[in-house]
Amino acid sequence: MDEVKEYCGVFGIYSPNTDVARLTYFGLFALQHRGQESAGIAVSDRRDIVCYKEMGLVSQVFNEKILNILKGDIAIGHVRYSTTGSSIEVNAQPILVSGEYPLAIAHNGNLVNTLELKRELDNEGIKVYGTSDSELMAKKLSLYYNGDIVSALLKVLPSFQGAYTLVILTKDKLIGVRDPYGIRPLVLGRFNGSYVLSSESCGLDIIGARFIREILPGEMVIIDESGIESIRFTEANPHLCIFELVYFARPDSKFGTRLVHEIRQEMGRILAKEAPADADLVIPVPDSGVPAAIGYSQQSGIPFSEGLIKNRYVGRTFIQPDQRLRELGVKLKLNPLKEVIEGKRIVLVDDSIVRGTTSSQIVNLLRESGAKEVHMRVSSPPITYPCFYGIDTAERKQLIAAYKSIEEVKEYIGSDTLKYLSVDGLLRACKGGSEGFCTACFTGKYCIEIPKAIKITKGILE
Ligand code: AMP
């Protein structure tokens, strides 16, 4: 079975007498940054569940006609990104399992025990069509679901190892689940006297729902006609993915009581203290480096300026599947403001360096535009380990900082200096944003044991 890495967005709404499919469409639209490969919505009208999903962006997949077919008052939705090889429609979500007790699930995260689950389902004679761990979860849940979804979940959840944030739809219930580590986020909102679930709070804002709180690690919430019930299905061991705060989440989303934009500015302020530079201008890599560059400028007193203008209609460079296209992507995306850059000593700020492609190209663009010096500052530590819990940070050998020293990375990207934020500085910046973080991509400390076979494929073990 192919190994599938995913980072996704999920959304769910329970709201009688409302066009829930349309609201889910808008929720997914706000979560589009979490996955651009496929989108889907499943709706229950209390008698049955209907699901529509396709490859493409939310605005390409849905139109008035399709939304009008999706009638009901409970819905879940999903946007998905996955790596090459698993970019097939059968892996799109939500996953609907039909039958006397139909259910649909949408998953964000990545399990580490998929082989075991697959074997179990094979033994039960249950066919699995796609290559995603989410399908395995849906099939296993359905195996135990005879009308009582809570007992079925209590039975199957302990067998899921890894990261899972789930929204589940039955004929009459909306359920939200976060794994005991809470690796991927999920928030609860209030809408029209009822409830909404969303990967990030920006999914609530877009439909005018009020943020209530985060679903806690190891918590399940059941939303139905009697209101909302919360069950702690296991002890929590909070390890929110810190990369959500570094890069992945939208800056206008909230974690705990803090806005991501504010947390990222703080990363920039701490970076300026840890890694000062003698320079004339602070320029961000748009859009990912903007909040940290503002923070860096505030702390250092070096003026902030835009220096690279982004074509707003080009997606994230990572959408391109191969290295050659990825390299072209940066040029398609950014145009330098020559008059601003010429003759200046520049602090270039980005949130992260993964393979080193983006920064080397941008440093080059700045040099071509006449920059006198380029001091690269990164608002997260060097990424030295791959992620197994749902962020596409590639195999270890593709991570430039895993096999090159900081000095060598500096040479590779061509900057005059290169400095990263420390792990301690990053944790300080995120304080109060949420409790407990997974920092595995920076430290190699994985909170959930990774099977040896997977470690070998990802280059952590020989
Ligand atoms: P790279 O060019 O491989 O060094 O990637 C670094 C750039 O990609 C930075 O500008 C980041 O903001 C962005 N980035 C970091 N992680 C990811 C990810 N998982 N998916 C897409 N883009 C990313």
Side-chain angles (χ1 to χ4, degrees), residues 41-45 47-53 66 69-71 74-76 94 96 102 104 169:
I41 296 177
V43 178
S44 164
D45 65 359
R47 288 179 299 272
D48 209 352
I49 297 178
V50 182
C51 179
Y52 187 87
K53 55 187 177 180
I66 293 164
I69 297 167
L70 295 169
K71 291 265 176 270
I74 324 173
I76 61 170
L96 172 64
L169 175 68

Side-chain angles (χ1 to χ4, degrees), residues 33-95:
H33 62 290
R34 299 187 68 88
Q36 299 91 31
E37 201 171 79
S38 67
I41 296 177
V43 178
S44 164
D45 65 359
R46 311 272 167 161
R47 288 179 299 272
D48 209 352
I49 297 178
V50 182
C51 179
Y52 187 87
K53 55 187 177 180
E54 257 196 70
M55 305 302 285
L57 298 172
V58 178
S59 58
Q60 295 165 331
V61 169
F62 294 99
N63 56 36
E64 280 294 334
K65 210 165 128 197
I66 293 164
L67 289 179
N68 285 335
I69 297 167
L70 295 169
K71 291 265 176 270
D73 52 18
I74 324 173
I76 61 170
H78 189 265
V79 285
R80 176 171 194 268
Y81 171 91
S82 75
T83 50
T84 336
S86 53
S87 153
I88 46 174
E89 200 164 334
V90 74
N91 281 336
Q93 297 192 34
I95 291 164

Side-chain angles (χ1 to χ4, degrees), residues 7 81 243 246-248 285-289 316-319 323 326 330 333 350-360 362 383 390-394 398 400 413:
Y7 53 87
Y81 171 91
F243 210 68
V246 168
Y247 165 78
F248 205 36
V285 172
D287 301 317
S288 50
R316 290 183 172 189
T317 48
F318 267 51
I319 299 167
Q323 186 73 5
R326 239 195 314 270
V330 176
K333 222 164 121 166
D350 202 359
D351 68 291
S352 59
I353 296 180
V354 183
R355 296 170 174 86
T357 318
T358 309
S359 13
S360 71
I362 292 178
I383 299 177
I391 294 260
D392 171 28
T393 45
Q398 292 169 304
I400 191 164
I413 66 171

Side-chain angles (χ1 to χ4, degrees), residues 179 181-183 237-240 389 437-440 444-450:
D179 69 64
Y181 299 89
I183 292 174
N237 183 4
H239 277 80
L240 174 72
Y389 313 136
F437 292 101
C438 173
T439 57
K445 288 184 195 144
Y446 294 100
C447 56
I448 306 169
E449 189 46 42
I450 312 293

Side-chain angles (χ1 to χ4, degrees), residues 383-451:
I383 299 177
T384 43
Y385 287 88
C387 176
F388 298 100
Y389 313 136
I391 294 260
D392 171 28
T393 45
E395 282 174 44
R396 190 155 194 234
K397 64 172 187 292
Q398 292 169 304
L399 303 171
I400 191 164
Y403 61 92
K404 283 189 195 295
S405 66
I406 294 181
E407 186 59 25
E408 287 166 337
V409 178
K410 186 204 87 177
E411 292 300 317
Y412 179 87
I413 66 171
S415 57
D416 294 280
T417 64
L418 164 67
K419 300 252 165 72
Y420 291 86
L421 182 63
S422 66
V423 174
D424 180 57
L426 176 61
L427 286 168
R428 268 189 290 128
C430 295
K431 232 168 145 195
S434 232
E435 291 306 313
F437 292 101
C438 173
T439 57
C441 53
F442 306 122
T443 59
K445 288 184 195 144
Y446 294 100
C447 56
I448 306 169
E449 189 46 42
I450 312 293

